[in-house]
Amino acid sequence: KQEVTQIPAALSVPEGENLVLNCSFTDSAIYNLQWFRQDPGKGLTSLLLIQSSQREQTSGRLNASLDKSSGRSTLYIAASQPGDSATYLCALANQAGTALIFGKGTTLSVSS
Amino acid sequence: GAVVSQHPSWVICKSGTSVKIECRSLDFQATTMFWYRQFPKQSLMLMATSNEGSKATYEQGVEKDKFLINHASLTLSTLTVTSAHPEDSSFYICSARDQLGQGDDTGELFFGEGSRLTVL
């Protein structure tokens, strides 16, 4: 059974720091992987989607990488800002058309 | 990106009553929608897969008679929490896939804003 783990569970950094959030999964046979942001009490905002054939995706200050063989994905946030404070969720689909399996998330706090 | 709308965004009800939550894909068609539940400080747990025109598929441990799912059209799925109890209080989120056509589907899922249910 696929399991998704995110570490650390929480992270506090000063503004301006570059940081890395980690996601690991137990079964490397995935279809795609998505990173989401969730603000308290709110829904999910999709940040980046990586297909199984891709190694990384970039959007602005965000870069997500995927290494299927090692069962890992990382989300890199450059020059963090207080507005980046939120919970970041990693989720993956094992097959096309199937539901996403979520990790428990990393709660990020960026102080000014 | 594609837009998924949920309604209501929050609801408070008395124990024993039923509550219906709607999930709509606003600018695309979705033959499949997914319903998730999120308890405080926990991750999203899949409850069921909703298929247009057929019965929903429920995850193990989810009572299908309590959580009624109807997917009557390509743009609307509803979740009805029947005879709600305080332990059903949670954040319910739906998601849908924008199906661009066979061979062109990125598989990206789009999520609604969520519906917070509080049962007194």
Side-chain angles (χ1 to χ4, degrees):
Chain A
K1 180 183 176 182
Q2 179 75 271
E3 292 184 2
V4 181
T5 303
Q6 289 186 249
I7 53 171
L11 181 64
S12 293
V13 300
E15 182 176 8
E17 274 203 10
N18 303 323
L19 55 99
V20 175
L21 307 181
N22 297 293
C23 172
S24 62
F25 44 96
T26 53
D27 187 342
S28 62
I30 66 171
Y31 180 70
N32 62 26
L33 185 145
Q34 277 183 263
W35 282 92
F36 295 89
R37 167 184 174 140
Q38 185 177 31
D39 292 292
K42 302 293 185 180
L44 305 183
T45 299
S46 180
L47 298 175
L48 290 164
L49 167 70
I50 309 178
Q51 301 292 346
S52 61
S53 58
Q54 298 174 324
R55 299 278 298 182
E56 66 176 347
Q57 285 286 333
T58 298
S59 176
R61 294 183 293 110
L62 305 179
N63 175 277
S65 68
L66 174 64
D67 183 345
K68 282 202 312 176
S69 61
S70 65
R72 289 179 159 184
S73 175
T74 61
L75 178 66
Y76 175 83
I77 302 177
S80 58
Q81 303 171 356
D84 294 331
S85 298
T87 295
Y88 291 82
L89 296 165
C90 168
L92 59 84
N94 285 330
Q95 298 175 6
T98 59
L100 292 178
I101 301 169
F102 283 81
K104 291 186 176 182
T106 294
T107 299
L108 172 66
S109 176
V110 181
S111 57
S112 56
Chain B
V3 178
V4 176
S5 174
Q6 267 185 256
H7 178 81
S9 56
W10 59 271
V11 57
I12 300 173
C13 70
K14 293 182 178 180
S15 184
T17 60
S18 295
V19 175
K20 179 185 285 188
I21 301 170
E22 294 185 348
C23 178
R24 294 181 184 272
S25 54
L26 295 187
D27 49 3
F28 65 98
Q29 294 182 332
T31 58
T32 302
M33 293 184 177
F34 303 100
W35 286 95
Y36 291 83
R37 179 168 54 184
Q38 185 180 35
F39 291 108
K41 298 190 184 299
Q42 298 294 315
S43 189
L44 279 75
M45 297 301 294
L46 180 67
M47 297 176 65
T49 301
S50 171
N51 301 297
E52 187 267 336
S54 65
K55 292 183 178 180
T57 303
Y58 291 82
E59 295 299 298
Q60 191 173 10
V62 178
E63 299 175 59
K64 62 180 181 181
D65 294 331
K66 180 169 186 61
F67 299 99
L68 301 180
I69 292 174
N70 183 277
H71 194 154
S73 77
L74 288 173
T75 60
L76 173 64
S77 175
T78 61
L79 168 67
T80 301
V81 183
T82 63
S83 186
H85 288 95
E87 57 265 31
D88 299 324
S89 299
S90 187
F91 194 52
Y92 294 86
I93 308 178
C94 71
S95 71
R97 186 164 56 101
D98 185 359
Q99 294 162 265
L100 303 178
Q102 208 166 18
D104 204 16
D105 185 2
T106 66
E108 183 172 7
L109 285 180
F110 297 93
F111 284 76
E113 284 292 315
S115 300
R116 182 163 302 283
L117 171 63
T118 300
V119 185
L120 303 177

